[in-house]
Structure formats: C-alpha cells, structure tokens
Amino acid sequence: MNVGPLSPGTRRRLLEGQAGPLPALPPSSVAIFISSTVSDMDAEREALQSTAYPKVQTFCQKHGLMFEVVDLRWGIRDTEATHHMTTELCLEELDRCRKTSLGPAFVALLGDQYGPCLAPTLIEEKEWEALKAQLTSRPGDLELVAHRFQRDENAVPPTYVLRASGTRETHGPEDITLTSVLRCGAQEARRLGLISQEQWHRYHWSVIEWEIERGLLSLIDGDQGATVFLREIQDLNKHILEDCALKMVDRLADGCLDTDAQNLLSSLKGRIADTQSGVLKAHHLRWSRDLVNPKNKAHARYLKELGEQFVARANYQVLERLRELEAGRQELAWLYQEIRHHLGLSAEATRTFCGRQELLTQVGQRLRKNDGHPHMPMVLFGPPGIGKTALMCKLAEQMPGLLGCKTVTILRLLGTSQMSCDARSLLQTICFQVCLAYGLPLPPAQVLEAHARVVQFFHILLHTVSSRNFESLVILLDSVDDVDSIHRARRVPWLPPKCPPRVHFILSACSGQQGVLDTMKQVITDPESYWEVKPLSSNQGQEMIQLLLAASKRTLSPGQRDLLWASLPECGHPGRLRLAFEEARKWASFTIPAPLASTAKEAMHQLCARLEQTHGQLLVARVLGYIVSSRYGLSEAELKDVLSLDDDVLQAVYQDWTPPSKELLRFPPLLWVRLRRDLGNCLARRPVDGFTLLAITHRQLAEVVRERYLSGSEKAKRHGALADFFLGTWSQGTKKLITLPLVGKPLNLDRKVAPQPLWFSDTVANLRKLKELPHHLLHSGRMEELKQEVLGSMNWISCRSISGGIESMLDDFDLCAPHVDCPEVGLIREALQLCRLAVELQGIEKNILYTELLARLHFFATSHPVLVGKLCQQAQSWFLVHPHPVLVPLGGFLQPPGGPLQATLTGCHKGITAMAWSLEEKLLVVGTQDGILAVWDMEEKQVIHILTGHTGEVKCVKVFAQGTLAISASKDRTLRLWNLLSGQEKFTIWDRGSKDPTEPQIWSLHVDEAKKAVYSASSSKVSAWNLETAELVFCILGDAADPWMYMAALASWATLLTVSKHGVVTLWSSATGKVQGKQHLSSIKDETPTCAVSVQKPGKMVIGFSKGSISLVSSKGYSLLEKLPEAVGFLVVSEDESLLAAGFGRSVRIFLADSQGFHHFMATDLEHEDIVETAVFGPENNLIVTGSRDTLIQVWSLSEQGTLLDILEGVGAPVSLLARGGALVASASQQSSSFKVWDLTYAQKPRASAPFLDRTGLTAVSHNGSYVYFPKIGDKNKVTVWDLAEGEEQDTLDTSNEVKCLEVAEQANLLFTGLISGIVLVFPLNSRQDVLCIPPPEARKAINCMALSKSEEHLAIAYDSIVLVLDIGPGDPCPVIDGPTYTFYTQLPETISSVAILADYRVIYGMTNGDLFLYDCVNSKVFPLEAHRSLVTCVEVSHKEQLAVSGSEEALLCLWDLQACKGRFEMSYMNSFCRGVQCACFSKDDKYVYAGLKDRSIIVLSVLDGTLLAVQFVHALVNRIIPTNNGFIAPTRHGYLIRERFQCPSSRASQQEPLKNFRKAVWMIKSRRREELAAAGALQDAESRSAQGNECKSNKRSQVCLIV
C-alpha cells in the first residue's frame, strides 16, 4: 500500500467531492492472522497466547493502535477446523488482515504436518465439466462426485455446490475418498490443459499452503508484514515410524505415514526458503520421545524463544510501518480520510441506484433557480429506509452536471463516522474542506477552540464563497437525525436560515416522531423547501432487486422470483427491498424458500430468527446486544474480548468439548467470523478515533435488537459487561471463575482481554474507554462507580479533557447529570465550566487543569468529602510527584462554583456594542463591531444563529413580539428585522439619505408594537417605519446647526420627544410626525445633553447634561431635577420606573419616583474606584449592578441603603454594557469579544467562602494570611480588618483621612497606614488602645508608598520627591519608632512610584518615568541604575539584601546586584494580554522571584539565570505577593487570598517550557554587565544629576505624637 502523500490531483478531486478512484484508507490497527495446522502446533499457539500477544498488544496500545489476533483454529474441535467452509473463512480473514493491519499481518507456524486437503465448496460449470470428463471411465467415482455436488443455476455462471456429508465428522471416509477422486480428475485435466495451475492447486494443496500462498508467496511487493516460524526436529526421519513421532506428522486413515503430504510439505518449505528466506525464522529441536511434554526443558526454552522472537518481530514491523507513514504523512490527513470515507460510502450506495429521476430533475431545477439569489436550504424527508441516503449520494454524484458550472460538493453521511456524529466536529471538517477547496485561509486555532466561533466562521465563510461569483458550493448532509446535538437540542444553531447566492444546503431527515424535522421547521420555514421522498413504484422495486442480484452475480428461478414478488406486493421501500435481496441472494436454484416478511420490522425479526437457528440464540443475542448497547460501536478485537468475558456464551460454546488450555480461556474467533459473514451488510464499519468500529447499519434492526434481546434486565446486564471490560476488571492477569459443563468444577482462568488504563503512554490516551465507560456505567445503573471512576476522578477528568477538550468532558457530565442526583457532581461540572477561560488562554495541560480545579473546589473539600474532597486529594497527590516546576494551590483562591458567574461566552471576533434579551425564548442577542449579531440560547449556552447582513457596527438592538423578533440598527444606515426562532431576516430598511460616511448614523431605536411602528433617530433625522411592510410612515428632518442628541418615544402619549444640542425640546406626533410643541431649556446654560432616558408612564424624559444638570422634561414643561458635580455619564430607570440611577464620574446617585418626579433615595452616592460606564437595576429593585472602566462589576443592595454586596471581575476590559434578563445579567465590553453572564439570585444562596470586598488594591496581610486590611468600601477614611477564616469583617480602624497605602510589620505586629494628608498612623495589631502618628515633612503632602526593611528595623516613607527613613525599635507595650533618621529630596520633576529599604540605610526608589536609583543614606551617595522605559511599579529587596528586583508597566523585570550596583538580568515578558508588572517578591531562600502581572497571572523566575520557571493564570489582579517558607500568599482583586507552594525539582534538566501553550508569549533574558562605578567623579556626577540634598541625621527622638 502506498503510504506517501496524496497527489495534488487526488487532493483536489477529494476536496471538490468528485467521483473517481478513491485512495486506500491507511491502516489503524494491527491484525495478525495465525496460520497453522490443527493439532501440530497447539503448544506454540498457547505459548504465544499466554505471553507474546499481551506484550505486542501493550506495545501497540502505546502507539495508539488496536491489536487483534485472528486464530480461527483456537478453541474449536478438529472437525470444525477442517470444515470446508472454514477454509474459505480463513482466506477471507487473511485478506482482511492484510488489508487493514499496520505492520504484521500474517504469521505461519510450520512444523511437521502439512494438513488435510479439502474438497472445494464451489466448482464453476466449466471446471466441473473438465473434471467430469476425466471420471466417465470410473462410474463409481463419477456417481460419488455427482451425489456430493449439486448444480446451482442461480449463480452467474452456474456452479456446483458441495453438499454436507451425512456423517457428523467433516473429514470422514467419504470426504477422504471424494478428495482423492477429485485430485485424480484434476491431475488428468491439468495434464490435458483443461484447467489452470491455480485450479489444480484447489485439489492438491492443504489449507496451510493456501494461507501461506495468499499471505506470503503470492505477494509482489515484499513480505508485507509476514513471518514464518519453522520448527525443525532433528533426526525425526529416523524415528518417524514410532507412535510418538506419527502424532507429529500427517497420517493416512489407516494410521500410516502420508508420504504425499510430507512431500508437499517439503516442497512448501523449499518454496519459502527460495523466495522469502528473510521471513523464515527456524528453530531446531533435538528429537526426544517427550518433546512436547511441558516439563521438557528444551521444549520450554524453545517456546520462550519463539515468544520473544514473535514479540520482537511484530514490534519491529509495527515501528517500521509507523516510520513509513510518518515519512509520507499527509498534512491534514484526517480531513482527507474523512472525505474519502463518505465518498466511499456514496459510491457503494449509488451502485444499484434506480428510479427517482423525476425527483432528481425537480431538485436540479430548484438548485438552478436558486443559484443566483439568496434562498432557503432544501430538506428531503421520509420514513426510515425509504432511500434518502441513496438519493443524497446520487445528487452528490450528479451535482456538477445539475448546476452546469464548476461546483464544490461536500457530502456527509452523518453518523457514519466520529467526525460526523456531533455538530462541533462536523462543522470543523466542513470549514476545512471549503477553505482548502477555495484556497482560503484555514480557521485559526482560537476559532476552533470555541464552537460559537466556528459557527460564526462558518457563516462568514459561506458569504465569502458566495462573493467569489464564479463557483457554486453544495453541502449535502444526510440523516441529520444522527447528529447527537441536533437530536437533543431545540434548535440547529449552525444551519443558515438563508443560503447566499451560489451556496446550497441539502439535508435529509426522517419523518416521524423523533422531533428533528420539527426542529428544522423552526429554522427553515418555507414549505416549498421540503421535498418528500416517496416509495418506488413496483417496477422500480423489481428493477432494484435485479440490479442488486446482477451486482452480486446471482439470479433467481422463476418460482423464486414469483415468491419474492408475492411477498412484497407493491413494495417500493428500498430498505425493505434490500433486506429481501439479502435473503434471496442466499437461495440456490434448488432451494425452496419460505415466504418473506411483508414489513421491515418483520423482516428484521425473520433475520434474527434465521441467525439464531444457524448460530444459536444466545450467541446472536449477545453479539447484537453488545454492538447495539455500545455508544459508538465496537471493534472486532473488543467484541471478541467481551465475548471471552461472557460466562453464558463460553458455557454454551464449550458444552460438548473442553477448551484447549488449562490456563486461559477465550471465545473461539471462528464462531464470530461465521456470524459476521451471515450478518453481511447489516454491520457497518465506522471510523471512530482512528479505529474501525462495528455498528448496526439499519435503524430498524437496532430497534428490533433492543426489543428482542435488550428488554428488562438484559439491557443493564449488557451494559454492565461492557463496563467491566472498559474498566479493565478482568485484564492484566486477573482470573475469572467459570464452571464449564464437561469439567464440573469451577475453573479460575485468565481471559487474556486487553488492559484498559486511562493512558497507554504519556501522550496516547485510551480514547475508547473515555468514550464508552460513562455510557455503560450509567445505563447499567452503577451510579456509585460512575461517580468514583468518572465524574469524581481527577485522572479521568484530566485525561478526558486533555485528549478531547473541556467540551467533551462537559458533554459527559451533561449525559450523566439527569440520572445522577448528587450536588457534588454539579459543583465539579460548574468548576470545569469556569476553567474554560484559562484553558483557552494557556492550552489544556494537566498542571493547568489540576490547578484550576483544586483552586476552585478546595473551598468544598471539607463540606463535600465524598467526591470533591477526594478529587482535591487526588490533585494534591499528583502535584507531589510532578516532575516540573509548578505552583501548587494550598487552598481555594479562584472563583468557586455556586457563585454568580454562570458562563463566560465567546464567539465574536470583535468587541460587543449592543445586547438585548428575549426572556420568553431564553435568548440573548449580541451585536458586534463587525456588524454581526449572534443569538445565544442561554439554556444551552450555545450560539443558535449568526445573523449576517450589516456591514457596519451594530449600534442598538430591540427585541419584541414576545421575544421572537428583533430589530437592529447599524452604522451602515440600515435597519434589519430578524426572526429569532428561525434566524431569518424578514426585511431590510435603508434609512434614506446620502451614503456619505460623514453623515450621522442611527443611534436610537424605539419599537411601538401597538402601532406596529419602529422609530429610528440620528442627529439629523427621525424616521418612522411600518413593522409589517417596512414602508416609511414619515421622516422628520432636523436642523444641522442644532442637531438632535436624544429622542424618546412616549407610546402611551402618542408623542415623540427630541432634545437638541442647544437644549431645544420638541414634541412630535408619533402617528404623523407633525410638531406638537417646542420649548427651550433656558435655565440650563452652557451645557449640552450627554444622556437621556424615557419614563413612559408619566410621559417624561430625563436628560443629563455636560456640567451635571439633570432635567425632567414632558409636554407640560420641564424642571431641574438635580445638579451633580460632574457631567452625567448615563441615566437608567428600573423596569417599573420607580427608580432612576444617574452615573457621574466615579459615582452613581439613586433617585426614587414621586408624584412630582424623582427625589433622593439614599443619603450617599455609590462610590467607585474608576469612572462608571453603565448600570442596571435588579429584578425586584432591591439591587443595582454597576460597571466601570477598571473592568469591575459591583453589586449593591438598595434595600440596605447602598451596601456593597459583591465585586465581580468583567472580561478584562472596561465594562461598557450591562443587560438584564430576569435574574441574569450579561456584561460586555466594546474592547472584548467575550461576555459574561451572572446570576443575581446567588446573593440569597450560601457561599463557600465570602471574599473580602476590596476595590483599591491597597491590601495588607498579617498573621500569615489570617487577616486582610484594606480601605473600607464607601469610606476610605477607615481600614477594614477582615478575618479570612470566618469570611467576615472583624474590626474597623478609623484613620480620619483617606488611606493611600498600607504596610504590615509582621514581627512587630504593627499596621502602618499612609494617608493622603501625609500622616502615617501606626496601629498595634494586638491592641486597639494606642495609635502612633508620624507627621509629614510638609503639610498636606500625600504619601505615595512605604516600605519596611526585611528585619523590620527601618521604615521608608516616600512622598512625591521626599523620602523619610525611620527606625523601629523594641518597646513596651508596643515598639518605638524613632526618626526620621534620614530625610532626602530627589528634586526631580517626576514623582516616586515605589520604594524599598535595606538594613544599612540604603534606599532603592523608582520613578514614574522609569528611572531607578540606589541611595546610600549614610554616605549621602546616589547610584543611578539603568532606567526602565515606563513607570516603576514595584521594587523589592532579597532577604539577604544582596539583590533587588524592579518591575515596570512595560512588563520588564530587572534583577540588580546591590553590592556591585549593577544589573544582573533584564527579563521581559511579552504576550498578547500582558500589560505590565504589578508586584514582585523574593522567595525566602532568595532562589526565586515571584511576580504578579497585570494580565492576571503570576510568574516564577530563577534568580540564578533569569529562567522563567512557571506561569499561572489566576484570573484576577494580584495586589501584592508575600513570601512564605515554601511559596507565597497573595491577595487578589477577586477578594481571595492565593496561598501556594512552589515546587521545583532539583534537576533543571526536567524543566518543561512554561510558555509553550501561550500564544505569542515570549520570555526574553538579557544579561547586563556594566563596569563598576568606582571612580569618585562618576559618583559625583550621579549625585549632581539627581540633585540630592537636605539630608539630616538626628540622634534625638523625632516629633512622633502618641494618640490615645
């Protein structure tokens, strides 16, 4: 087989879906056929079965290959092994192994027996006549042959069929005589030239010679994975007539030596040695009378060497083949294999296609009619088995001719392969095929990670193809019922409701009660898009049967044909006709068949009954039951393993004979091969995860199997057996008890089934176990095992997620959740859902997944010990043996499940500009900067429609008509009305005017459902449109000199209200557009409107202005509601219009409605740390949610007078949009493509751990992380003391001034609070009695930062350009603070941004412009260090005070040698998210630096060489990092305390690349070696440049007041 890459022509043909020769699929398993005589090599076969096969199997599994041994002579009686049909089956299986096996395919065990020569089962007519002519002179022989062979005229050409002998013994005397007679006749016929050499071989060769010929000698391209193991017994000829020797050689019926057989055997060995000596592995044994005795050491040594040689040879062949495949590996080979699979099935389906010409013509006409303009997809529907698949395949074949132009045809027969079973994989393969076929860029990795992005990419791709204007694209999807997500879902999210020109969708679906067709009708609403596939006519049905018979070289006798048509009166059901053909093809001309079933279901029952009669009811029931019970199908190797574990089956098999081994027990493969052959086309082979699995072809047969064999408790038993197999319960030498009928006592035997670890190697996961085990544990009712082995197993979760993605693991949880009543399962699932963002940023690795889950679930480890607790223990145990540097969570610090966050969703490539909820339909409509609207199903958390059409940014969206319709306005000056259920655009309105881009665009939409009108407004125009006809009702033109700023539609007052830039308010009739009144807001001067909101009930409009005025306007006049200190940023009203919120600067003021308008609701405003962008009220007006530029979302209680309930992290960008739907709030930003959905009801639920609410980042920690200190929310003149263990506020410290910075002296138990007034208040942590006050050097100079020396003996206080250095000494009852011991001024224009102090009074300080200095207070010398390029955010000193690290806003970290006053390393961290360094510290042993970055991650680097050792995304900004003995603690903006251990192996050789999964992330190390600044002149120059001065030293106590 050619393993090289496909030729360009073949690739092009496959991508365009053209019919033609298909390349062979590459093998994906190792299947070795074992050829040997029946009894001569029993010991060898058992030895291989016991030791060699398991080793090769393990080797194959490590390379991701399925392993199978086909030894059809194992476990059966000699009479069955020498049965005539067995020979034919052996050769068929040998061919299958050669075709499908990767590497070794054929192994012959050749000893001193040649084996019997059997009479052929079929003789063609011409060959029969030649033989018969030679036997005419021998009437007895001729009579015997004529008696044993019967003419079958149904074969084309006619054949003679061997009848079974009358005796039970297959190779009895009559058979031996028959063979001898035929051999003589063939010899004479060959001499006369009447038959060929190959035909002559049929009468002379034994089965083993046929197998060796087929598996080795006839090959023209090398040995192709063949091996012959030859056993030569020395001096055997000298003892050949002894009884013990005669057992090893061929004997005649009378017991004498069969010399002919021995001669043929010698000839066979000679042929092998002459032509294929390289495959011959000879073993020479000395003659011994007890040669095959197990106690014979020589024989035991031979068997051991044979096993070792088998393993080495097989493994070598596998490796060589893998190397060949890798060398010739085709890029995107998986895609070409998928396309080839569907085209191969299509070619098979159309081979006997007949009829349907009228329907094909009609479909072709419709395609041509639709090709030039937008149109709906087409749906072919009909009952199962009506022939939809064959019709779809015929359409695909004829497509280029139907459209009459260059056409790319994409065909998928859904459900026939793994990639066509679920919508995610299906859509990805189609996107790749379209891109390659049209030469377009492939979907990037970030698109493939999220299904919503793939859906959007797919819709854009269709429009891109359409715009090319010269090629048509046709996508045919057969059996959409077989896509899991469609079958379960309410909607079909990826299906375009309208196809653009030159793009066609044709789908097929079953009619009936499945509901899929009804689901599709929600999207495709046009009845003319649906085409019913009706039964064939009676003549067409007969034609189909004739075509099938001709294709299989069969015919029927007139009587049989009459019986067939009588059984199928007027039957035009192709599925039923094919079943009838499968029965009729088995009829010989002399067969008298029974009437056939008249319905498909009856035919399936009839098929099962016939199989049971031939193979036994138990075997048929178990084989079909196991296949149907499987989730995706079973491989042949798996099925044989499962049957080997089924005691009932084995007891039935070994009812009349004993198994060949006393150590192991297996199901005889021959019995399965016979049944598989009789099942024929009822079994389908499907590629899944690189393996070929068997599944039931016909849906009706699967239903009959369930009814017949899986009713009652049988279903759970079959699933239980499969669960045991995939659990590996009886693998790896574990023996299973069984009592066999002829033995009478229990036997404990090894079943030799495949081991089932989760990982076969470090990189190869057990995909079959991962896919099947949850399904079988669930349906066998073994819920506890399901929870322990799957849902609550960290090993399982990581393996499933890494090998298949988080989505696949979540699918498993969704599969099990309805059946598992366990809150812990819900917690784990939600935690996995929360992990998705980190996985998207960093890629999915074990350490990332373990960190994420441990840091989220640790909160519940004690309260939920059964699953969550054990899961956390498993994660901790894994970290203990992790070989690479890693940060290990010691507690929970990421948002736990059960919190407000419901989902983080992404799918748009640009920022989000508009959002609107459809509560009735549970939908969220999201508009984006690139003009796309995405409709999300918020139950499924999936995109259901991508609405394309706008070419500019979506400005606003309104949902109405009970959530079924939406209208959107865009910068492209269009309004588009959408049906949210179908995803179809109802109409487009072009808002008339010039297309000049400078003309103002629509910024406001109002829908009046009662009047069936929509009003759009821009600065120069207000338009009214009819919602049903899209006709313009009226248009009001504005004044360019005084443009409109805001418009309100007061529906109950039939009024439109506009306000202009200069404060002119105009009232218009909403019915006619005529002016009803005008007024000027004369009391509001020199202000322009900035925002407005309508209050519908009283018919008013609230307007905010640029200098803080808020005015209430109505038709009756206006009034000034409030004067705010800053410009009004936004105005929002509650749903019942009882509350009004006004945002200005960093504050929000709440008003309550009254009869006059609104009045203050609360005494204080809601204060924020950054400008507030938006707000939304809660469902019962008891909450308000605000969003600000610092990316934070804050939840406030209105029932508790503005108490801050929670701080939520947005999407890492300013929160510009909040939209509420019921209890859910969606938050988004114009700078991010992601949005988050929050549940407001979480506040009423108990929480795992209450986070501390700090928004400032000015956090200090004491008592090893037991207490956290931060400025109090709403009152920065106080410091909150938060008890982390209790999750509540313990105390409040009053500072009387706004707090600017906090530092804790852990050893001295002091809290230093730097105030905006310049004062430092020092609070003893163990006492609230005495507070020390350190006055500022100058009045009202705010403190910028403070720092303590490592010994806590010195304190540095930095102002803009002044640094004070104070001493801290022991005292009673609290430490004594002296100083300032030193004071120095920078006298630089920039201000100090960070500071650090050493024990020897040296001070390091960084400036806002990036300058960095080391100042020696004792010697009054300054050493300038190499500058950063931006603000220095942090400076930290090592514990031994030999090194320092500085970080800046450009994500630069510098490591400094403080002794030499020069830099060691400059380390820069660049990625697509990084925005600088926030904080840093040294580890306790000064070996590492921990740094918190503004991209919400923590990094660890080596002090030795600057190497980046670990990166961890923590989802929140880290305020500061405090080292512990083995790691650090760090408070975050989420209100949690990170507590981690850094684990680093002693050997750096084991280090992995921590950035390997970060996109565009680079860690650069620059070693900086500068000359020491030794010269005094250089020091003086540096001093003069910094202009340091005013240094003073005092031995007396400074002015420190004691506040009591």
Side-chain angles (χ1 to χ4, degrees), residues 1588-1600:
Q1588 304 288 352
N1590 291 344
E1591 181 273 330
C1592 67
K1593 181 175 174 97
S1594 172
N1595 291 324
K1596 66 178 183 180
R1597 184 157 181 180
S1598 66
Q1599 298 176 359
V1600 176

Side-chain angles (χ1 to χ4, degrees), residues 114 209 250 258-270:
Y114 182 67
E209 181 149 8
D250 299 282
D258 187 342
T259 54
D260 289 344
Q262 290 294 294
N263 292 334
L264 288 168
L265 177 62
S266 297
S267 172
L268 173 61
K269 291 178 180 179

Side-chain angles (χ1 to χ4, degrees), residues 57-76:
Q57 182 168 59
T58 300
F59 179 83
C60 291
Q61 286 178 327
K62 287 180 178 180
H63 289 85
L65 301 170
M66 195 85 74
F67 176 72
E68 177 189 6
V69 170
V70 180
D71 186 352
L72 297 189
R73 297 177 182 90
W74 173 269
I76 58 174

Side-chain angles (χ1 to χ4, degrees), residues 1301-1591:
C1301 52
L1302 295 169
E1303 289 292 334
V1304 166
E1306 189 82 42
Q1307 301 165 27
N1309 280 315
L1310 297 175
L1311 172 67
F1312 296 88
T1313 61
L1315 308 181
I1316 197 169
S1317 62
I1319 295 172
V1320 177
L1321 295 183
V1322 186
F1323 294 88
L1325 297 180
N1326 295 336
S1327 168
R1328 297 292 180 265
Q1329 301 301 315
D1330 301 325
V1331 179
L1332 299 175
C1333 174
I1334 304 172
E1338 297 178 10
R1340 304 304 298 175
K1341 277 281 188 179
I1343 296 174
N1344 288 348
C1345 49
M1346 297 186 296
L1348 288 160
S1349 63
K1350 295 303 176 185
S1351 60
E1352 296 185 358
E1353 295 177 352
H1354 307 310
L1355 171 69
I1357 305 171
Y1359 299 85
D1360 285 351
S1361 59
I1362 308 172
V1363 177
L1364 305 184
V1365 178
L1366 298 95
D1367 292 333
I1368 305 172
D1372 189 18
C1374 60
V1376 176
I1377 300 175
D1378 286 331
T1381 308
Y1382 295 98
T1383 302
F1384 63 89
Y1385 293 77
T1386 64
Q1387 296 185 356
L1388 293 172
E1390 291 78 19
T1391 58
I1392 299 173
S1393 59
S1394 55
V1395 68
I1397 185 168
L1398 285 75
D1400 58 1
Y1401 294 107
R1402 285 186 293 168
V1403 177
I1404 308 172
Y1405 57 94
M1407 312 297 287
T1408 53
N1409 69 339
D1411 287 341
L1412 192 67
F1413 299 95
L1414 174 64
Y1415 183 74
D1416 185 343
C1417 293
V1418 176
N1419 298 308
S1420 302
K1421 293 180 180 179
V1422 64
F1423 300 89
L1425 304 175
E1426 187 170 329
H1428 287 268
R1429 293 181 289 275
S1430 61
L1431 182 145
V1432 179
T1433 54
C1434 60
V1435 178
E1436 283 291 328
V1437 177
S1438 66
H1439 293 81
K1440 295 178 182 177
E1441 300 192 340
Q1442 295 176 354
L1443 302 170
V1445 65
S1446 59
S1448 61
E1449 285 188 337
E1450 83 271 21
L1452 186 69
L1453 280 162
C1454 294
L1455 191 66
W1456 306 96
D1457 185 332
L1458 296 181
Q1459 305 303 316
C1461 292
K1462 64 180 182 180
R1464 276 196 178 183
F1465 301 106
E1466 180 182 291
M1467 297 149 289
S1468 59
Y1469 178 48
M1470 294 175 288
N1471 69 22
S1472 53
F1473 307 100
C1474 192
R1475 291 186 289 269
V1477 179
Q1478 178 73 9
C1479 55
C1481 76
F1482 285 88
S1483 62
K1484 285 280 188 178
D1485 57 8
D1486 289 342
K1487 289 182 178 180
Y1488 314 110
V1489 170
Y1490 308 124
L1493 306 184
K1494 292 187 177 181
D1495 67 350
R1496 297 176 290 168
S1497 67
I1498 293 176
I1499 63 173
V1500 184
L1501 56 98
S1502 168
V1503 169
L1504 179 67
D1505 54 13
T1507 302
L1508 183 66
L1509 298 175
V1511 181
Q1512 186 182 86
F1513 183 66
V1514 294
H1515 296 266
L1517 204 61
V1518 174
N1519 301 327
R1520 67 166 67 207
I1521 302 182
I1522 304 155
T1524 58
N1525 288 334
N1526 57 5
F1528 60 83
I1529 55 177
T1532 73
R1533 288 287 179 94
H1534 275 175
Y1536 295 107
L1537 186 75
I1538 298 176
R1539 192 184 298 272
E1540 294 200 279
R1541 178 180 80 248
F1542 179 58
Q1543 183 175 297
C1544 188
S1546 56
S1547 171
R1548 292 284 292 279
S1550 65
Q1551 183 184 333
Q1552 64 179 358
E1553 172 51 56
L1555 291 179
K1556 67 177 181 178
N1557 292 312
F1558 283 80
R1559 289 185 204 91
K1560 300 179 182 176
V1562 179
W1563 178 257
M1564 297 179 64
I1565 306 170
K1566 179 182 177 183
S1567 179
R1568 305 189 302 180
R1569 306 193 177 278
R1570 299 164 67 195
E1571 296 182 1
E1572 294 186 12
L1573 303 176
L1579 288 174
Q1580 293 299 324
D1581 290 343
E1583 286 178 38
S1584 62
R1585 282 197 303 273
S1586 296
Q1588 304 288 352
N1590 291 344
E1591 181 273 330

